[in-house]
Amino acid sequence: MLDLIWLLPTFPLLGFLILALTEGKLARGPAGWIGAGSVGLSFAVAALVAVSFLQSGIESHTVPIWTWMSVAGFDPGVNLYLDGLSLVMILVITGVGFLIHVYSTGYMADDPDFSRFFCYMNLFVFAMLLLVLGDNLLLLYLGWEGVGLCSYLLIGFWYDDPYNGYAARKAFVVTRVGDTAMAIGLFLLFAQLGTLNIQEMLHAAEAEWPIGSTLPAITALLLLGGAVGKSAQLPLQTWLPDAMAGPTPISALIHAATMVTAGVYLIARTHTLFELAPDIQLLVAWVGLITLLMAGFTAMTQNDIKRILAYSTVSQIGYMFLGLGVGAWSGAIFHLMTHAFFKALLFLGAGAVILSLHHEQDIFRMGAKRKQLPVGFLCFLIGGLALTAFPYTSGYFSKDEILIAALEVEGQGLWLWLGGVIGAFFTGIYTFRLFFVVFFGESRGHHDAIEVKGLNIAVPLFILMALSLFGGWIPVPLDAVFSHGAEHEEHHISAFMHGVMIALPLIGIGISYLFYGSGTFSVEKLMSLPASRALHRFWDSGWGMDRLYDLLFVNPFLYLARVNAKDIVDAFYDMLAAISRAGHLLIVRTQTGYLRWYALSMAAGLVALIAVGVLL
Amino acid sequence: MFTFAVGSALSIASILLAVIVLAALLIWVERRMLSFWQERLGPNRVGWFGIMQVVADMIKIFTKEDWVPPFADRLTFVLAPAIIMIVVLMSFAVIPFTPEVGVIDSNVGVLFVLAMASLGAYSVMLGGLSSNNKYALLGSLRAAAQMVSYEVFMGISLLGVVVLAGSFNLREIVETQADGWYIVPQFIGFLIFLIAGVAESHRLPFDIPEAEQEICAGYHTEYSGMKFGMFFVGEYLGLVLISSLITVLFFGGWLGPAFLPPIVWFSLKAGFFIMFFILMRAALPRPRYDQLMSYGWLFLLPLSLLNLLVTGAVVLVSTTATM
Amino acid sequence: MGAIPVEHGLILAGILFSLGLIGVLTRRNIVFVLMSLEVMLNACGLAFIVAGSRWEQADGQIMFLLILTLAAAEVAVGLSLIIQMYRRFQTVDINVLSELKG
Amino acid sequence: MMLLFYLAAAVAVIATIGVIVQTNIVHALIYLILSLLAVAVIFYVLGAPLAAMLEAIVYAGAIMVLFLFVIMMLNLGQSTRQQERAWLAGRGWIVPALLAAVLLGQLLYVLSGVEGMSAAEQVGVMAVGTRLFGPYVLAVELASILLLAGLITAYHLARKPKAGDE
């Protein structure tokens, strides 16, 4: 049964090939069936595999499929590797992916490029499965770049609008910065450890490298570079909010549930390396913490419903990084899973709202929509509660695990914990700000909106609601993967700390109610202060990161280019140019343009070479 | 290097003679059969059932003026008909007629046949080119494209048999068919080889290089007398060659129940295919040139590659299973 | 069979190579140039076969196969370039193509 | 066998000389084919039957047909003879001939030190095939990529320019 996992990537690949080769000539019906069905079949296989994997009780299983070539010890194979980690990942990818595909058949029903959409989606699922199932770095990298490509294609899906193309390019280029670092890291690992197989490589690293030495630090840092690029963490987070230009199901699938978690997966997969480099691991924690706080602040100031969710995604992935950094490997992956549930729910709910309101995305032009959009209301209520870690929703369990683990880090633990809790507080504020503004208060537009109907939209939403509420009780079979690290022990934490962790998000909800629900406090009054206006502008622009990068990289480059056009250094180069021109005038006589002349010189050179060889 | 099966000059000479006489006889057979299928009489005046018609034709062809057009390129013009004769007769060298009869027993027999077939293209091309005549040039351009293209599928379709037999030696290929002819596992290969074979010998329905109605007999427009006769006989030799090859590769060559001697079995099988080709000429219309090319590249090539791939996979799996 | 001195085979390859070189250098018709190039490539292949025969190894033939592949690709591209050239300049004189000079 | 080798070698050299001095391009091509076939015979004598057959099939049979095809397409047949004669006239051949002679001298000098006899055994198709798809599989992959690139390039270059181009 376990050998069936080769079917997992095969179905989406077949779906992609069929849809690509029919060039969009397929009718919507069959195209939707193929697109969603292939992922559904994958999910069925994944479920079968999961059952038999858990029953068998083995730690890991490798399925060799094919060896591409075998040259001088370099034998990259297409081998699939299954363990607890990849099991969780494939279940999330195919499960949530399937729901989103079904949802998309409704959401994209009127789009002229229906079949192209599913074509890209299937390719994406294929690449993502390859990423998490590959047992060697080459396959992982193939999947990694494959999802990057799909992300580019899908963000720019509506390529008629130049802005979408810009957003797609930005996502591609920014993640490429991280990918370059990662590629160098992979080369370094291969060069140093001599194997591409991830497990062998990790064992070799453990055996050869002492803890805290330079090489693991460098490789871990480079891999972290790749991870922050793909997972939209500081300093490469700027692409994700712009990536909301794509269709909403894409935002749900790629930019919330699966692709952006690839960085988390990468770090979890190579966690041995990070354990060998404690400094870098701590860096991971701080990157996550700072990102989650910055994204939290920014989310509070946004007006676009999807951008709020995008910043919240950045922030939640920050939590995962925090978890990874403090050694709560299973906690991070657990949070990855629950986050996939409720963030997919929120995005799909947002999609339903947007579609119902004729592609309106500004929350301040909605208001009082709970009667008109009951399903969307329910989505946001449940998703929002899970996102703010309301007790006993799925987000509560996973976030708890991360924060408790953070507290246990020696030295900086309290700070990390405090940051995480404050982040949770902001999560409460921005999530329910969105909620109250959209669904309560007075209607500020679209008074006669009617909610979109259709089982293929409603059913995935209800399943995701259930998962968001009860997903916290799903047992994650990760102990075998991470067991050799910190032993799984009962956490001891004082009741006060725990109380704080539960209370702060609730206080956040309360504050946002006071501002946006009951109107007790007035936002206008707050905004009348110039300082708060400036702060609002600053946060609204995402801490000015785009401007900062313009300032730091783009403008200096342009400036240098301009300055370099005519400066005194040129004189020196002019001299060089004059010399080389003189040489050129000499040599130009040999450049007759006649091919036979060139051939003659080559032959003469050959003769001379042989002569030298013979004489010496 | 050459292990001579029979080896004597006498046997070589007798095979040569037999093949050429057979080819000449085929001219009469074809005319009789065609007219039979078209419900007319055909040549029936000279000799018994008109069989002496062949001799009469020979006399006519030998005594005609052997004329080289003044505008033609003399060397090439003379060389072209010789090439086809030489090439086809050379191909017969590796054909195993019976366990005893055959000229050479080469380890690369299949490749040798392919090499000769590919050289055969020059005959048509040079003939058309040297004639310095636009119809001839058109004909030879068509022939070049057609023969070079169909050579590819011919080669690939053969490889299925080679994979099964594990040898390029035609004699061994026949011997490995003792427990089953390759027509069964290689039916697709057989079909492709049949079609490609007809195209290689540019007989109807693939006689596009010499289509009388379109390009005035194509590459041999300017030829007459003995040189035309060589082209003519060369075509029939090609027919015999293709039939013999099909027999050897797909129908077990000389193998058959013991009540008939091997040579008779071989002749029966080859004769059947010769008749089949003649019937094809009588029955099928000529396709258009572009149809022929796209049929080859878009249909036969993928099909033959697929056939080879599947055959290879099956052989690989079955050999690794038994090991 | 065999028992031919390796030296003689290599010398034959050398002679053919030199003849091809003369062809490349003297002809102005680009088709001839390409044909002479083929002669040179073929001479290289011959040298490999001779060496392979000397050591009774298949590697020589494999190298020849690779040269064959190279030649096929080279001729395909070269001839299509000739067709382009003829379309543009109505000549096969290689000296016409002398615009790319210093 | 020895005799066959030297005979084929003589044919190859004479035919190759024919290639480089001919003025009629079709005749030159026929000489080239002859030279290639002679080399194929040499391959067979040297115990390389696969190479010999491929030389005949691919080199003499396919690549040269391409040449002939292009000659036919461009109609370079006999009209260019005068031109060739004019182009070959003059002293343009002296320097190349000298250079080639020097090169040949060097080659002879270098190669005359080589000892050894060619093997008596044939290296069969099977041996070549197993090595080709064993240690040389990377080379096969590269060759296939090269052929693909050549195919695409040739298709693209020889295509008639569309109305919009240039």
Side-chain angles (χ1 to χ4, degrees):
Chain A
M1 190 55 82
L2 286 181
D3 289 334
L4 282 183
I5 53 173
W6 66 272
L7 282 173
L8 273 169
T10 308
F11 284 125
L13 180 66
L14 279 179
F16 160 70
L17 286 178
I18 294 172
L19 291 172
L21 293 178
T22 49
E23 298 174 343
K25 294 196 187 89
L26 228 50
R28 272 154 212 274
W33 274 104
I34 290 171
S38 61
V39 182
L41 282 173
S42 270
F43 176 62
V45 176
L48 281 177
V49 166
V51 169
S52 61
F53 181 80
L54 293 177
Q55 276 173 355
S56 68
I58 50 176
E59 266 191 31
S60 66
H61 184 71
T62 306
V63 182
I65 294 180
W66 179 46
T67 302
W68 181 28
M69 60 167 79
S70 184
V71 177
F74 173 74
D75 41 4
V78 182
N79 302 332
L80 302 184
Y81 177 81
L82 184 74
D83 63 357
L85 178 56
S86 39
L87 186 71
V88 173
M89 292 300 289
I90 58 173
L91 284 174
V92 170
I93 293 163
T94 54
V96 177
F98 176 55
L99 293 176
I100 294 173
H101 273 75
V102 172
Y103 176 88
S104 308
T105 55
Y107 188 86
M108 301 297 286
D110 297 327
D111 199 275
D113 284 324
F114 187 78
S115 148
R116 181 163 65 91
F117 180 79
F118 280 98
C119 177
Y120 292 165
M121 291 274 272
N122 277 351
L123 181 62
F124 167 76
V125 174
F126 165 70
M128 191 72 200
L129 286 171
L130 213 58
L131 196 170
V132 298
L133 282 174
D135 89 324
N136 61 48
L137 295 172
L138 206 63
L139 216 52
L140 185 141
Y141 195 68
L142 178 67
W144 187 272
E145 296 297 342
V147 295
L149 168 72
C150 292
S151 168
Y152 168 78
L153 290 172
L154 286 165
I155 295 171
F157 183 74
W158 288 315
Y159 53 79
D160 290 345
D161 184 353
Y163 171 73
N164 293 345
Y166 164 76
R169 273 200 308 282
K170 180 173 176 185
F172 204 63
V173 171
V174 172
T175 49
R176 200 63 45 233
V177 175
D179 289 356
T180 311
M182 173 174 160
I184 297 172
L186 297 186
F187 294 153
L188 198 61
L189 280 174
F190 180 59
Q192 289 295 326
L193 299 173
T195 175
L196 283 173
N197 186 299
I198 295 172
Q199 300 305 321
E200 285 175 20
M201 181 200 85
L202 292 178
H203 287 307
E206 233 172 354
E208 288 175 25
W209 291 344
I211 292 180
S213 57
T214 327
L215 267 176
I218 294 174
T219 48
L221 193 62
L222 288 167
L223 290 184
L224 176 63
V228 297
K230 190 100 344 183
S231 288
Q233 297 292 296
L234 202 72
L236 297 175
Q237 86 284 30
T238 55
W239 65 271
L240 188 61
D242 284 312
M244 294 302 128
T248 308
I250 298 309
S251 310
L253 177 63
I254 297 189
H255 305 121
T258 56
M259 182 187 96
V260 290
T261 59
V264 180
Y265 168 79
L266 177 73
I267 294 181
R269 177 54 86 203
T270 58
H271 64 101
T272 319
L273 277 179
F274 285 86
E275 281 169 355
L276 291 175
D279 296 344
I280 305 300
Q281 201 188 342
L282 204 62
L283 180 66
V284 174
W286 280 103
V287 164
L289 184 68
I290 296 173
T291 313
L292 82 88
L293 286 174
M294 282 176 65
F297 281 115
T298 309
M300 283 192 294
T301 56
Q302 297 291 320
N303 292 342
D304 184 317
I305 185 167
K306 284 178 71 180
R307 287 179 82 94
I308 295 175
L309 292 176
Y311 277 110
S312 120
T313 303
V314 174
S315 162
Q316 293 304 309
I317 296 171
Y319 273 108
M320 295 175 212
F321 269 64
L322 178 62
L324 294 170
V326 300
W329 308 112
S330 2
I333 298 298
F334 189 38
H335 193 56
L336 187 160
M337 184 181 81
T338 55
H339 173 253
F341 297 150
F342 58 71
K343 192 48 67 65
L345 173 65
L346 282 170
F347 262 115
L348 296 186
V353 169
I354 291 168
L355 203 59
S356 307
L357 301 182
H358 311 293
H359 293 278
E360 177 60 70
Q361 300 198 1
D362 188 344
I363 53 171
F364 285 105
R365 293 163 83 178
M366 299 176 181
K369 292 285 177 280
R370 67 182 177 282
K371 295 267 168 48
Q372 289 162 336
L373 312 172
V375 178
F377 173 70
L378 214 55
C379 285
F380 273 90
L381 181 62
I382 292 174
L385 287 178
L387 176 60
T388 44
F390 194 80
Y392 300 105
T393 56
S394 61
Y396 167 74
F397 293 102
S398 51
K399 213 177 268 184
D400 240 21
E401 219 173 297
I402 292 174
L403 288 177
I404 292 172
L407 197 54
E408 286 172 355
V409 174
E410 282 170 36
Q412 304 160 343
L414 193 66
W415 294 107
L416 292 171
W417 178 82
L418 198 63
V421 172
I422 292 173
F425 170 65
F426 287 123
T427 309
I429 294 183
Y430 67 70
T431 310
F432 279 87
R433 166 176 173 265
L434 165 68
F435 178 71
F436 289 128
V437 169
V438 172
F439 294 105
F440 290 89
E442 66 216 28
S443 179
R444 283 174 292 254
H446 303 284
H447 308 293
D448 49 354
I450 303 165
E451 184 149 54
V452 284
K453 296 273 189 308
L455 273 182
N456 46 6
I457 287 187
V459 170
L461 288 178
F462 283 111
I463 295 176
L464 283 171
M465 281 180 212
L467 285 171
S468 301
L469 278 180
F470 308 114
W473 274 286
I474 298 176
V476 194
L478 290 170
D479 288 342
V481 184
F482 303 116
S483 61
H484 63 278
E487 275 74 38
H488 202 76
E489 57 189 44
E490 278 308 302
H491 300 293
H492 301 289
I493 181 168
S494 69
F496 168 71
M497 294 288 211
H498 214 143
V500 169
M501 279 162 55
I502 295 177
L504 268 179
L506 296 182
I507 296 173
I509 297 176
I511 290 177
S512 103
Y513 176 73
L514 292 178
F515 269 105
Y516 297 100
S518 66
T520 314
F521 298 146
S522 165
V523 185
E524 281 75 27
K525 209 177 278 173
L526 196 64
M527 280 297 122
S528 59
L529 295 171
S532 57
R533 263 211 305 278
L535 205 58
H536 179 272
R537 258 206 312 280
F538 183 53
W539 287 345
D540 189 38
S541 63
W543 293 67
M545 286 306 265
D546 277 334
R547 208 125 33 94
L548 187 68
Y549 286 160
D550 276 352
L551 216 63
L552 274 183
F553 300 114
V554 181
N555 287 343
F557 186 75
L558 292 176
Y559 174 75
L560 276 180
R562 264 198 306 277
V563 169
N564 221 19
K566 43 176 191 288
D567 64 351
I568 45 165
V569 185
D570 267 3
F572 175 68
Y573 290 109
D574 281 345
M575 188 186 70
L576 284 187
I579 293 172
S580 47
R581 178 163 297 151
H584 157 79
L585 284 176
L586 274 177
I587 300 172
V588 79
R589 289 165 199 282
T590 65
Q591 302 288 312
T592 55
Y594 293 105
L595 189 119
R596 292 190 295 163
W597 170 254
Y598 299 145
L600 190 72
S601 354
M602 272 157 70
L606 177 66
V607 166
L609 267 182
I610 296 180
V612 169
V614 167
L615 290 177
L616 295 182
Chain B
M1 64 183 219
F2 300 123
T3 35
F4 287 85
V6 185
S8 67
L10 190 68
S11 112
I12 296 175
S14 57
I15 289 177
L16 269 183
L17 199 68
V19 167
I20 292 178
V21 168
L22 188 65
L25 206 60
L26 269 182
I27 301 173
W28 171 76
V29 172
E30 174 156 40
R31 289 178 68 182
R32 284 296 285 187
M33 294 311 285
L34 280 181
S35 49
F36 173 71
W37 280 311
Q38 292 164 352
E39 299 198 51
R40 45 186 185 85
L41 286 175
N44 63 346
R45 297 300 162 96
V46 198
W48 188 63
F49 282 119
I51 198 160
M52 295 309 276
Q53 185 72 40
V54 179
V55 181
D57 282 346
M58 287 282 196
I59 293 169
K60 183 190 93 173
I61 259 178
F62 276 122
T63 52
K64 260 191 173 177
E65 186 192 358
D66 193 12
W67 185 68
V68 178
F71 47 79
D73 180 16
R74 200 177 170 85
L75 169 76
T76 332
F77 191 81
V78 177
L79 199 59
I83 290 177
I84 187 102
M85 286 293 279
I86 294 168
V87 157
V88 180
L89 287 176
M90 290 273 277
S91 303
F92 276 105
V94 291
I95 303 272
F97 294 99
T98 73
E100 293 83 30
V101 182
V103 182
I104 46 174
D105 181 16
S106 170
N107 277 332
V108 283
V110 175
L111 290 176
F112 185 79
V113 170
L114 286 178
M116 288 302 130
S118 65
L119 292 180
Y122 287 113
S123 161
V124 178
M125 290 178 77
L126 291 176
L129 185 60
S130 64
S131 300
N132 231 349
N133 165 321
K134 66 182 169 194
Y135 290 120
L137 187 69
L138 280 176
S140 57
L141 265 174
R142 288 177 171 199
Q146 171 180 336
M147 293 182 76
V148 169
S149 309
Y150 276 77
E151 233 164 61
V152 176
F153 327 130
M154 190 168 169
I156 299 175
S157 66
L158 280 179
L159 288 183
V161 170
V162 172
V163 167
L164 286 178
S167 167
F168 277 109
N169 187 327
L170 286 169
R171 198 167 284 277
E172 284 174 22
I173 287 176
V174 173
E175 279 156 7
T176 51
Q177 293 183 72
D179 20 296
W181 294 351
Y182 287 142
I183 173 75
V184 182
Q186 284 298 312
F187 188 69
I188 296 173
F190 162 69
L191 283 185
I192 296 166
F193 185 79
L194 190 78
I195 296 168
V198 180
E200 275 295 288
S201 57
H202 36 85
R203 279 189 51 88
L204 265 163
F206 295 149
D207 66 337
I208 290 163
E210 46 190 293
E212 290 92 340
Q213 296 91 332
E214 297 169 24
I215 49 173
C216 187
Y219 64 92
H220 54 52
T221 304
E222 301 290 347
Y223 281 89
S224 66
M226 195 49 221
K227 288 203 267 303
F228 173 73
M230 279 158 94
F231 272 127
F232 204 58
V233 174
E235 186 179 321
Y236 284 95
L237 278 175
L239 191 62
V240 178
L241 178 67
I242 291 295
S243 306
S244 314
L245 274 176
I246 291 176
T247 309
V248 167
L249 290 169
F250 297 98
F251 285 89
W254 66 77
L255 298 170
F259 58 84
L260 285 175
I263 185 73
V264 177
W265 276 117
F266 190 94
S267 315
L268 275 179
K269 291 173 188 172
F272 173 79
F273 283 103
I274 293 172
M275 287 303 151
F276 176 76
F277 284 128
I278 293 173
L279 176 60
M280 228 159 109
R281 172 172 181 175
L284 290 177
R286 183 188 298 141
R288 239 173 32 226
Y289 177 66
D290 58 319
Q291 287 171 333
L292 178 82
M293 293 306 281
S294 56
Y295 176 71
W297 285 110
L298 300 183
F299 179 70
L300 287 185
L301 180 67
L303 189 67
S304 54
L305 283 175
L306 203 65
N307 176 44
L308 180 59
L309 200 69
V310 171
T311 312
V314 168
V315 168
L316 191 68
V317 167
S318 61
T319 48
T320 43
T322 53
M323 269 197 305
Chain C
M1 86 162 67
I4 293 142
V6 170
E7 206 187 329
H8 292 188
L10 290 178
I11 286 174
L12 174 64
I15 293 173
L16 291 182
F17 188 85
S18 308
L19 284 175
L21 182 62
I22 295 179
V24 170
L25 295 180
T26 51
R27 305 305 299 226
R28 274 175 74 180
N29 186 331
I30 190 163
V31 184
F32 273 103
V33 173
L34 214 52
M35 273 158 59
S36 307
L37 267 180
E38 291 310 305
V39 171
M40 290 168 77
L41 268 178
N42 193 43
C44 299
L46 176 61
F48 273 113
I49 294 284
V50 169
S53 160
R54 162 72 179 80
W55 302 105
E56 269 185 72
Q57 290 296 322
D59 305 52
Q61 294 192 54
I62 286 169
M63 280 308 170
F64 171 75
L65 286 187
L66 296 180
I67 290 178
L68 203 63
T69 324
L70 183 73
E74 176 238 322
V75 165
V77 175
L79 286 176
S80 49
L81 278 173
I82 291 178
I83 291 176
Q84 273 297 339
M85 175 182 169
Y86 200 77
R87 221 175 254 159
R88 223 165 260 208
F89 301 103
Q90 268 75 44
T91 176
V92 284
D93 183 0
I94 195 157
N95 286 359
V96 172
L97 292 184
S98 59
E99 286 166 26
L100 192 73
K101 61 184 168 202
Chain D
M1 272 319 115
M2 297 275 283
L3 187 64
L4 193 54
F5 173 82
Y6 292 111
L7 205 61
V11 171
V13 172
I14 293 168
T16 309
I17 292 173
V19 177
I20 60 172
V21 299
Q22 265 296 328
T23 49
N24 185 325
I25 193 161
V26 181
H27 291 188
L29 195 69
I30 294 171
Y31 275 119
L32 183 51
I33 295 164
L34 192 61
S35 156
L36 292 174
L37 289 178
V39 172
V41 170
I42 292 173
F43 285 175
Y44 202 100
V45 172
L46 289 175
L50 181 67
M53 288 306 145
L54 286 181
E55 173 100 358
I57 296 175
V58 180
Y59 238 129
I63 298 182
M64 292 301 126
V65 167
L66 277 186
F67 271 103
L68 194 53
F69 201 75
V70 168
I71 291 170
M72 282 156 93
M73 268 178 78
L74 304 185
N75 209 357
L76 298 176
Q78 290 155 44
S79 52
T80 55
R81 253 189 111 155
Q82 296 301 322
Q83 198 183 18
E84 282 297 321
R85 211 165 273 155
W87 282 350
L88 272 185
R91 308 239 173 106
W93 56 273
I94 297 176
V95 177
L98 274 178
L99 192 69
V102 174
L103 181 64
L104 184 61
Q106 285 180 333
L107 287 177
L108 287 180
Y109 177 75
V110 172
L111 295 177
S112 59
V114 181
E115 296 289 325
M117 305 296 270
S118 68
E121 281 301 306
Q122 278 201 356
V123 178
V125 182
M126 192 80 95
V128 177
T130 41
R131 275 193 80 67
L132 200 55
F133 286 93
Y136 281 96
V137 69
L138 185 64
V140 174
E141 298 258 350
L142 290 178
S144 64
I145 291 170
L146 176 72
L147 281 178
L148 181 65
L151 175 75
I152 293 169
T153 317
Y155 169 75
H156 180 76
L157 284 177
R159 204 178 44 149
K160 276 221 171 70
K162 274 188 229 140
D165 299 354
E166 286 178 67

